[in-house]
Amino acid sequence: MAERSTAAVDVADTSGEEPLTAQAGKATDDGAEAEKVSGGEADAAGNGEKPAAGPDAQPPELHSGHKLARRYRLEECVTRLDGFSSWRAVDEKLRRAVGVHILPADHPRARPVLSAARSSALLGDPRFVQVLDAVEENDLVYVVHEWLPDATELSTVFAGGPLEPHDAYQLVSQVSQAMAAAHREGLAHLRITPGSVLRTESGQYRIRGLAVMAALRGISCEHPQRTDTEAIGALLYAALTQRWPYENDAYGLTGLPKGVGLIAPDQVRAGVHRGLSELAMRALVNDGATASRQEQPCTTPEELAKAVAAMPRIRPPETSFTTPPPYQRTGFQQGSYGQPPSRNGRPGRPVQPVPAPPPPLHSRTGKALKWSVSALLIAALGLGSWQLADTLLKGEKQSDSPGSSQPGGGEKPAAKPLQIEKATEFSPLSTPFADAQAPNAVDGDAGTAWVTGRFKGMANFGNLPSRADGSGIIVDLGSEKKVSGVKVSMYRPGQTAEVLAADPSASAPTSLDAFSQRLTKANKVDGELTASLDKPVRTRYVLIHITELPSDGTPDWFRGGISEIKVTGS
């Protein structure tokens, strides 16, 4: 049951509605007609939708232990309804748990689901629950996806109370950036709810059912970007207030009072972060009204992601340490242990105090030992003083010599962290993978990262001419500085990378030729790339240059990235 509640990546999940398993015995028929979703009414009510069903679709004869493609062994049915079923399964080839959605090939939603699953798989963004396979075989269409046993639905997270401001900030930041990347590839979700967003144990948010959930339900929309943006705003609203921003209750959350309209989160609950409250109002459909400053509404995930990035960063709360209770002596330490019992109601005889032992080293042997130790200490102090004086004399001679140029023996001054003004993606021959994610590599948070695209067959970016110069991150120090060290935490081990610096005279370099100063050689990096220079170099721009990518865990697929960059200098 623990696995089902945390990892059931089920595109047919109805979240705030009556569970599909409870509806399995009811006759439902919405044919092949597409359900229309528009603007603010996509998930406003959280009910009234009909799950995908076909008039003639019959449930396939499947059972636990059945194998698909001689590889995927079905273990437990999570959802079954009118021809559609969702299973927890085992990939016997790679020995891992997976999820499988199965429809009959003649199901009215089968073709759209197959097409949507294949399009979602091509995106390859790790912020989405990955589609691993999409196949039509033996009169069945099945979609294989990741199974996340350590993830928790937001509906369960919200049940525990409102999120801290830092957690809510991470939620809207990660989800808006992920959906902005999906829309750039022409993919929409249209069903972003607390049941379709998962939080892993590491604090990362994963979105499930991209394109597939809408295809399964036959949902279409004239303004998909606006619909997804409003849905993200509803998630942020619920994270701040533990209330659903519409009149109807949904996803285990209480709706707003009827007839009062949409209220800003900081008016619903005390202590809500003002900036996040205004951001939620800008994302929700409310005729452009915001909490106070009348900012322009965010109509696309890209606009919402930029608005989040423009906010002052919200730091995680400080770890609080409780003061330990005062020390209390036990009865034994207080002298009450071992007293004889009373007789005839009278107190017993008090225990005689134990005489204190004599001070140590007062015997003849102790005195001799004490004098011996004292003599040894005096000899050691004398020898140490002589060696110290000899060292100081030698240092004075060296400082007086003509070849001495630095005081104190020529020690280098200690390096200090350099301020990084901004970070941009290095992609000289093609469009960037995710330039909006580049600041994640210098935000001081190892849990966020800039991630490359996903390539098949070749570790060197698919051996594409448009990626011949590799990729990476360019950090801008704001002005020319003396750089003596660079420390880089890689997103995944096994990447081949190097550290380069631009000429001091370079201005906003974008080509590989502009970075003529090599700080490290190109080597395969296990997890951390470090450059420590004996002689600092002068530069404003430092490039972390990636030339080869490691496997992403899927056979014949490669992907890399950078989690954190730190630059030191004098």
Side-chain angles (χ1 to χ4, degrees), residues 38-320:
S38 60
E41 300 177 357
D43 287 320
N47 55 21
E49 292 185 358
K50 296 180 180 179
D56 300 321
Q58 296 297 325
E61 295 297 330
L62 300 172
H63 54 82
S64 297
H66 184 90
K67 285 188 182 180
L68 300 173
R70 300 181 181 178
R71 175 175 178 176
Y72 304 111
R73 185 181 74 248
L74 304 183
E75 293 287 328
E76 178 187 8
C77 183
V78 179
T79 303
R80 188 193 298 273
L81 177 64
D82 293 331
F84 167 79
S85 60
S86 180
W87 294 76
R88 175 175 61 84
V90 174
D91 183 350
E92 295 185 338
K93 183 176 180 180
L94 297 180
R95 299 181 180 275
R96 63 179 177 181
V98 295
V100 183
H101 306 308
I102 307 174
L103 297 90
D106 58 353
H107 194 285
R109 304 279 188 250
R111 293 294 177 186
V113 167
L114 191 63
S115 176
R118 289 172 175 172
S119 299
S120 177
L122 291 176
L123 179 62
D125 193 312
R127 294 169 294 193
F128 295 92
V129 174
Q130 298 293 295
V131 172
L132 306 175
D133 208 352
V135 180
E136 179 178 1
E137 180 184 62
N138 297 332
D139 297 329
L140 291 176
V141 167
Y142 57 89
V143 177
V144 183
H145 54 79
E146 285 184 291
W147 187 268
L148 305 175
D150 67 331
T152 306
E153 289 184 2
L154 281 189
S155 54
T156 304
V157 175
F158 291 162
L163 300 186
E164 292 288 338
H166 177 262
D167 293 332
Y169 173 85
Q170 289 294 328
L171 167 64
V172 67
S173 176
Q174 294 182 32
V175 175
S176 62
Q177 289 182 19
M179 288 310 306
H183 279 284
R184 283 195 294 268
E185 300 297 327
L187 296 174
H189 195 291
L190 306 184
R191 279 287 298 170
I192 299 176
T193 68
S196 62
V197 179
L198 311 173
R199 186 171 74 176
T200 65
E201 291 182 349
S202 63
Q204 300 297 306
Y205 293 92
R206 305 283 299 274
I207 305 172
R208 67 187 184 188
L210 176 66
V212 176
M213 187 176 290
L216 181 68
R217 291 175 172 270
I219 297 176
S220 65
C221 181
E222 295 180 358
H223 306 288
Q225 296 202 53
R226 187 68 190 89
T227 299
D228 283 342
T229 305
E230 180 190 354
I232 299 172
L235 290 184
L236 177 58
Y237 194 103
L240 297 173
T241 64
Q242 203 184 11
R243 299 285 295 268
W244 193 237
Y246 304 102
E247 293 184 352
N248 293 359
D249 300 345
Y251 312 107
L253 301 172
T254 304
L256 298 179
K258 295 185 177 181
V260 299
L262 185 60
I263 311 172
D266 56 359
Q267 297 177 11
V268 175
R269 174 177 165 266
V272 172
H273 189 277
R274 184 68 176 274
L276 292 176
S277 175
E278 293 181 354
L279 197 65
M281 296 296 285
R282 292 177 64 185
L284 288 166
V285 172
N286 56 92
D287 297 327
T290 61
S292 63
R293 296 187 299 176
Q294 298 296 318
E295 298 265 4
Q296 288 295 322
C298 299
T299 58
T300 67
E302 186 79 35
E303 292 178 359
L304 183 57
K306 290 180 179 179
V308 175
M311 288 180 56
R313 184 170 298 278
I314 301 175
R315 298 294 180 184
E318 296 288 340
T319 304
S320 59

Side-chain angles (χ1 to χ4, degrees), residues 329-340 349-354:
R329 294 192 302 170
T330 63
F332 171 75
Q333 293 167 323
Q334 294 171 352
S336 62
Y337 182 83
Q339 293 184 359
R349 184 177 57 186
V351 178
Q352 296 296 327
V354 180

